[in-house]
Amino acid sequence: MGIYLFLVCIVEITLSATSFLNIKNHHIISIYTYLEPLLIVNIYRKEFANRTKTLFLLLFAVIWILLVAVKEFHPENLSLKITQHFALSCSIVTCALHWFYLRLKLLDRPKLLTEGFFYINIAFLIYFSGTIFIFMFSTLILKSTSQTQNLWLINSILNIILNILLAKGIWLQKAEQTSTF
Amino acid sequence: MASESGTDLYLLIFSGTALMLLLAFVIILFVYLYQKKLYQQQSTLQLIENNTQNALLTASLEAEERERERIAMNLHDEIGASLNLLKLNLNQIALENKNSRAGKEISEQINFLDSTIDLLRNINKELLPPSLGNMGIIIALQELFEVIKQKQSIRFDLKTENFQQDKICPKMELHLFRIIKELTNNAIKHSLSKHIRVKFIMVQQSLMVNFNYDGSGLAQHEFEKKLLQSGGQGLKNIQNRINFLNGSIFFNKIDDQNSLIRIEIPLNEKDN
């Protein structure tokens, strides 16, 4: 989890710096798009701890890498880009909903609000369900600058919420580990 | 025309995003509230189940102790008194016929009667140690250890620290006595122990008993495993009595030659 947040931090800083210096940064975004879902899959793999679910997550990761790789060779293919974002968002939202389902089924966590992963799960659910439409269709209205800016503003707000919730989740998880020892 | 379709798409994305976020918030709220409700229901059910189990356990242990007491009283008052009366009568007859063959035979039968009376007394002590009610658990245990020492060469060390007899209620005393007796039997029988050390320590609102013995004993996970198995009634009784006293028991296998069992029981003021 810490690696994921560290990577997000590094990518955001690098992207801000490169855009400020007017340097092309699409390669950084490309690398990040490979790594992000793999890290998220790894986070959920630890939580689910089930062979079938792990295989499903691995399958998702493989499909994701294939989609990104195909997109690299056909950067102008919009339907491929839409499919890629849709697949990522749907898979992570499914993982988040499944985590909630497990909590209701197993009733193994007495207080969800003190549970670190609850916040991490909320973060992924809010961000990926909130940005599913933005990532899928924003490329279609790329020329309309003011409207696109508004949409990217929503994305930025959701990104801030995501990172705050992730930080809160990690903080609580660390406290849980400390109290266990 | 192109700008109009762009605005439509923008509105579609915007409303889609708003809808998805609303849905996510509703799901989160639902999961949080429903999980809380389900967990409370489960906790209540668990509490009811535990209370029922405790009530059943209490009733069965109390019935067992009452039955032991009743049998001990009957043996002492009815059979014991009759045997003593029979002994007195036979003594009288033996005195009257001390020079005859019949008198000698009666004297032999009196010896046999004496051993029967001793046997009855021992059974009575087993059922309800008389010193437990009058002298307290420490004296009762000393007597128990003395009886064992007469039969087997085992060394016992019984120590106390800050121990106050008046803080222990009779029920606790009785259950604790039975637990230590069972542990002693187990240590001798299964671990072939030759040295047993028992220490009572009173710390604030709890009583701790350290039961040390030489020989290979059980570790905590082995004890818990045995509780789930069909046999091991003695260990189950120990656990039931510990539960009855709201206490805890911990089995520690120090090494192949030393084992420790630690019992902790809360001292409840209202029990006294």
Side-chain angles (χ1 to χ4, degrees), chain A:
Chain A
M1 191 64 222
I3 301 167
Y4 174 76
L5 213 60
F6 179 72
L7 184 79
V8 170
C9 190
I10 295 289
V11 168
E12 292 295 333
I13 290 167
T14 318
L15 287 178
S16 305
T18 48
S19 64
F20 181 74
L21 297 168
N22 281 327
I23 301 168
K24 283 185 178 178
N25 56 19
H26 69 276
H27 290 297
I28 299 164
I29 298 170
S30 293
I31 296 165
Y32 181 63
T33 47
Y34 275 107
L35 289 173
E36 190 192 21
L38 293 179
L39 288 168
I40 295 173
V41 160
N42 191 44
I43 291 163
Y44 276 105
R45 187 185 59 82
K46 284 177 187 168
E47 269 298 303
F48 291 160
N50 174 303
R51 206 181 160 201
T52 320
K53 287 165 192 169
T54 310
L55 281 173
F56 168 76
L57 288 172
L58 277 173
L59 186 73
F60 153 67
V62 170
I63 291 171
W64 169 257
I65 289 168
L66 283 174
L67 277 171
V68 176
V70 171
K71 200 198 84 182
E72 285 293 309
F73 293 107
H74 306 280
E76 64 289 332
N77 191 336
L78 284 178
S79 62
L80 198 66
K81 200 173 181 182
I82 288 169
T83 316
Q84 181 202 331
H85 285 303
F86 187 72
L88 171 70
S89 301
C90 280
S91 307
I92 292 168
V93 167
T94 309
C95 285
L97 292 177
H98 187 70
W99 190 86
F100 278 146
Y101 167 73
L102 284 180
R103 297 294 74 78
L104 289 178
K105 189 185 167 192
L106 300 174
L107 288 176
D108 54 350
R109 320 274 164 105
K111 283 179 183 171
L112 282 181
L113 286 182
T114 54
E115 190 71 30
F117 205 84
F118 179 64
Y119 291 93
I120 293 166
N121 200 50
I122 287 176
F124 288 138
L125 181 66
I126 290 175
Y127 182 76
F128 285 99
S129 60
T131 55
I132 193 164
F133 278 86
I134 299 172
F135 280 121
M136 272 171 64
F137 301 115
S138 61
T139 46
L140 299 174
I141 52 163
L142 207 62
K143 285 163 193 167
S144 168
T145 322
S146 65
Q147 289 173 341
T148 316
Q149 270 181 354
N150 283 343
L151 291 176
W152 286 117
L153 181 70
I154 297 172
N155 175 52
S156 302
I157 293 166
L158 289 174
N159 208 0
I160 291 167
I161 294 170
L162 168 82
N163 289 317
I164 289 170
L165 286 170
L166 287 180
K168 168 86 177 169
I170 292 171
W171 182 268
L172 282 173
Q173 272 192 333
K174 207 177 171 189
E176 279 165 28
Q177 280 168 1
T178 316
S179 63
T180 311
F181 294 120

Side-chain angles (χ1 to χ4, degrees), chain B residues 93-126:
Chain B
I93 297 165
L95 268 174
E96 284 167 9
N97 304 284
K98 62 180 175 184
N99 296 323
S100 67
R101 194 170 158 243
K104 281 174 188 170
E105 275 183 15
I106 288 169
S107 295
E108 278 170 20
Q109 294 307 313
I110 289 169
N111 289 338
F112 179 68
L113 193 61
D114 276 336
S115 60
T116 310
I117 290 168
D118 282 343
L119 197 67
L120 188 72
R121 200 173 289 138
N122 285 342
I123 293 170
N124 246 351
K125 273 186 184 174
E126 284 273 318

Side-chain angles (χ1 to χ4, degrees), chain B residues 62-80:
Chain B
E62 280 181 349
E64 188 187 319
E65 289 305 333
R66 266 202 309 273
E67 198 54 22
R68 276 170 183 264
E69 202 176 332
R70 193 183 66 78
I71 294 168
M73 293 278 274
N74 281 349
L75 283 176
H76 181 264
D77 296 347
E78 305 288 333
I79 300 171

Side-chain angles (χ1 to χ4, degrees), chain A residues 140-141 143-144 146-147, chain B residues 1-11:
Chain A
L140 299 174
I141 52 163
K143 285 163 193 167
S144 168
S146 65
Q147 289 173 341
Chain B
M1 197 67 185
S3 158
E4 209 171 281
S5 69
T7 313
D8 285 349
L9 199 59
Y10 169 74
L11 280 172

